[in-house]
Structures are given as structure tokens and as C-alpha cells.
Amino acid sequence: MVWLNGEAKPLEGKTLREVLEELDVDLSRVAVLLNEEAYLGWELPHHVLKEGDVVEVVTLMQGG
């Protein structure tokens, strides 16, 4: 299982980008933590998810 935002999901074998696109995530508005490494959505590495990977998707917000 792959941990996605705290939930175990059967996502092994898919790329990180594929999963986010399936979830309709706007890559220009998120940051992603992949096994504690941080990436902006448009800078995602080509990573095929494997058992035990931990992914956290965080929406970027502007404030003032």
C-alpha cells in the first residue's frame, strides 16, 4: 500500500503524476511531499509508486 494524505491506498505501479491527475489535482496549486522530499506540483519527479511510499499533497493558498 501507498500512504496518500494519511490513508493507505493500492497505488503501487502508478506514477505520482498519474495519481494526482486521476484525482483532478491542479499541479500549479500544490506542493507534494514524497517520502519527506518536497516538490512543487509542476516539478514532480518521475516516480513510480511502490509499497510503503508516503505522499502528502498540500494545497498552496495566498493570503494577506
Side-chain angles (χ1 to χ4, degrees):
M1 291 294 207
V2 172
W3 290 89
L4 176 63
N5 287 350
E7 294 183 34
K9 300 202 180 255
L11 302 172
E12 297 89 343
K14 294 184 178 185
T15 68
L16 183 54
R17 185 175 299 273
E18 285 173 336
V19 169
L20 296 179
E21 288 174 352
E22 287 175 8
L23 296 172
D24 292 323
V25 172
D26 180 352
L27 296 179
S28 69
R29 301 182 55 90
V30 297
V32 178
L33 290 172
L34 172 61
N35 300 326
E36 300 184 9
E37 293 286 330
Y39 303 94
L40 293 175
W42 61 83
E43 298 177 328
L44 292 177
H46 179 76
H47 179 84
V48 177
L49 295 169
K50 61 186 181 308
E51 179 74 28
D53 277 345
V54 178
V55 179
E56 293 289 332
V57 181
V58 180
T59 301
L60 302 175
M61 300 180 70
Q62 273 185 301

